Amino acid sequence: MKPSAKNLLSVAFLLLTLGLVLFIGFSGNDITEVWHAIHNLSWISLLLCLVCWAGYVVTDGLSLYAFLRQQGHPITFWQSMYIGMVGIYYCNLTPGASGGQPLQIYHLKRMGVPIGVSGSALSVKFFCFQLQLLVVGAILWAAHGDFIAREAGNVVWIILMGYAFNFLSIGMVLTMAISKRAVRTVIALIIRIGVSLKICKDPKKSTEKWEAHVSSFLSSVQLIRSRPMDLAVQFLIALLQLFALMAVISVIYYAFGLSGTRFMEHITMGVLLYISASYTPLPGASGAQEGGFAVFFAGIFPPAYLFVALLIWRFFTFYLSIFVGFLLTTGESVSGLFRKKQPPSLPTAEHSAAHPTESLQQEGASNQDNPL
């Protein structure tokens, strides 16, 4: 898949943000103390950070794997890992994390998963993770109220704004999951945009095609609603994914040999930071994440250690996913270039007469290549 101009612009923005962080960090701290903080790190601590990142990626793919098997559309474990990594990569590259889900639906369709089912899988996955995030954040905030008041009392309003925006996004997904009218409204809007961009040439035909996707989407959502244990599995996976992502901060803290705050306090601050910055409409919430980390953890890490911790945390929770995702998607594109291309063979008249059902299936499959 070739990088688009928007993706290149996002990469440029991320590099600019990283450059600003490096400039501010090195110019605002004693270089000797920075190198001392780096020297205190061990390869074991970095390996543990890598394990946390791997746990985050595996649980992301595992959510799709479990959902699609429960729905009767199984894909292999490694296919689910690939789909999950594609989603993480493009979500990190696009403003508001808006680019991952369409690409995942596209790849799942190529693997034989209907658009409606893949759409419901991603909707349920998003709903479970976001709701888990907000519930866990509220519980941890209540359990460590004094700690939060001391360390983040000046930015509580930012956390509350994050809660408001995240609840809004959950409400939108929930409305889509229970209201056929809401789904049709969104589809009608997409088709109108497609017509204005001259992507959609036949609105009526596109509407009829998407009606089938709407039916499979709502049927898929209804199926998991009727199976509470399947939904519980999704919530459990989301909880594991959340803690894998947040544990990186604590690993870095103990790797520096620091003391004074506990593991669950680090997790609490990490969850509240994620809630506060995740709604920022920038690629990877860049700028908001770095600035938020500097504010939320200023009383936990000494100044020079805070800068190094920020770089390591951001690498394992963000930049590493972009690097691996780039290699993965580029590798797929390169292998596609060297894959032998064969022109599609049209069925002969004799074959069509002998196998009319197969011919109709082939024609329908070709018509479904363009979702609009």
Side-chain angles (χ1 to χ4, degrees):
M1 191 170 293
K2 297 180 181 179
S4 66
K6 290 183 178 179
N7 287 345
L8 293 176
L9 187 61
S10 296
V11 171
F13 176 78
L14 296 178
L15 292 176
L16 176 62
T17 303
L18 177 60
L20 288 173
V21 170
L22 291 173
F23 174 77
I24 295 172
F26 279 110
S27 61
N29 291 285
D30 188 334
I31 299 299
T32 304
E33 293 183 3
V34 171
W35 286 116
H36 183 263
I38 295 174
H39 182 72
N40 280 352
L41 292 170
S42 65
W43 287 106
I44 295 178
S45 62
L46 297 179
L47 182 61
L48 287 175
C49 289
L50 183 62
V51 170
C52 292
W53 172 82
Y56 171 72
V57 172
V58 169
T59 48
D60 190 87
L62 186 62
S63 176
L64 284 174
Y65 179 74
F67 184 95
L68 293 176
R69 287 186 67 86
Q70 293 159 355
Q71 295 276 326
H73 296 279
I75 59 175
T76 68
F77 178 75
W78 293 113
Q79 284 176 324
S80 67
M81 293 299 105
Y82 173 78
I83 295 296
M85 195 67 244
V86 166
I88 294 172
Y89 172 59
Y90 282 101
C91 279
N92 285 336
L93 276 184
T94 51
S98 58
Q101 291 81 5
L103 267 297
Q104 287 178 302
I105 290 175
Y106 167 76
H107 284 286
L108 284 169
K109 183 176 181 294
R110 293 177 62 189
M111 295 175 183
V113 180
I115 290 177
V117 175
S118 59
S120 69
L122 297 175
S123 298
V124 169
K125 176 176 172 291
F126 174 84
F127 172 79
C128 290
F129 183 84
Q130 292 299 115
L131 185 59
Q132 190 78 271
L133 174 71
L134 298 182
V135 171
V136 169
I139 294 173
L140 292 175
W141 194 350
H144 302 92
D146 294 338
F147 175 77
I148 297 302
R150 184 176 71 250
E151 300 295 338
N154 295 330
V155 293
V156 167
W157 64 274
I158 299 178
I159 301 173
L160 294 176
M161 283 183 60
Y163 263 93
F165 277 98
N166 281 284
F167 267 121
L168 179 62
S169 66
I170 290 176
M172 292 173 63
V173 171
L174 190 59
T175 301
M176 292 278 290
I178 62 177
S179 173
K180 193 170 186 177
R181 178 179 295 181
V183 179
R184 283 174 169 169
T185 300
V186 172
I187 290 174
L189 177 62
I190 293 173
I191 291 176
R192 283 200 298 270
I193 294 173
V195 171
S196 64
L197 296 176
K198 297 182 179 180
I199 298 174
C200 175
K201 298 180 179 179
D202 190 341
K204 182 179 179 181
K205 186 176 180 181
S206 296
T207 301
E208 292 173 352
K209 185 181 296 185
W210 276 101
E211 277 294 325
H213 300 326
V214 171
S215 298
S216 62
F217 172 83
L218 294 175
S219 298
S220 179
V221 173
Q222 182 62 36
L223 182 61
I224 197 167
R225 285 170 58 191
S226 65
R227 297 177 178 176
M229 287 306 299
D230 291 351
L231 198 58
V233 168
Q234 291 296 317
F235 276 113
L236 176 59
I237 294 173
L239 182 63
L240 294 174
Q241 184 181 21
L242 179 62
F243 271 83
L245 186 64
M246 299 303 148
V248 174
I249 300 171
S250 198
V251 170
I252 298 169
Y253 179 84
Y254 291 117
F256 285 142
L258 301 174
S259 60
T261 55
R262 296 168 294 178
F263 173 79
M264 288 309 299
E265 291 172 337
H266 308 151
I267 298 295
T268 302
M269 294 295 279
V271 170
L272 295 181
L273 169 60
Y274 193 97
I275 292 171
S276 303
S278 60
Y279 64 87
T280 307
L282 294 171
S286 290
Q289 290 282 11
E290 289 85 354
F293 188 94
V295 172
F296 277 65
F297 290 92
I300 297 176
F301 290 94
Y305 286 77
L306 178 66
F307 170 58
V308 177
L310 167 59
L311 292 180
I312 298 173
W313 166 75
R314 196 61 170 148
F315 173 78
F316 282 104
T317 61
F318 181 65
Y319 289 107
L320 181 58
S321 295
I322 290 181
F323 178 70
V324 174
F326 173 77
L327 292 180
L328 199 62
T329 54
T330 303
E332 182 197 28
S333 300
V334 172
S335 63
L337 291 176
F338 290 96
R339 193 178 298 128
K340 185 178 180 180
K341 295 183 179 180
Q342 297 179 350
S345 56
L346 296 176
T348 62
E350 293 81 0
H351 180 83
S352 299
H355 304 279
T357 303
E358 181 181 340
S359 299
L360 288 173
Q361 289 175 344
Q362 290 177 352
E363 180 182 356
S366 64
N367 288 337
Q368 291 178 356
D369 288 341
N370 182 4
L372 291 180

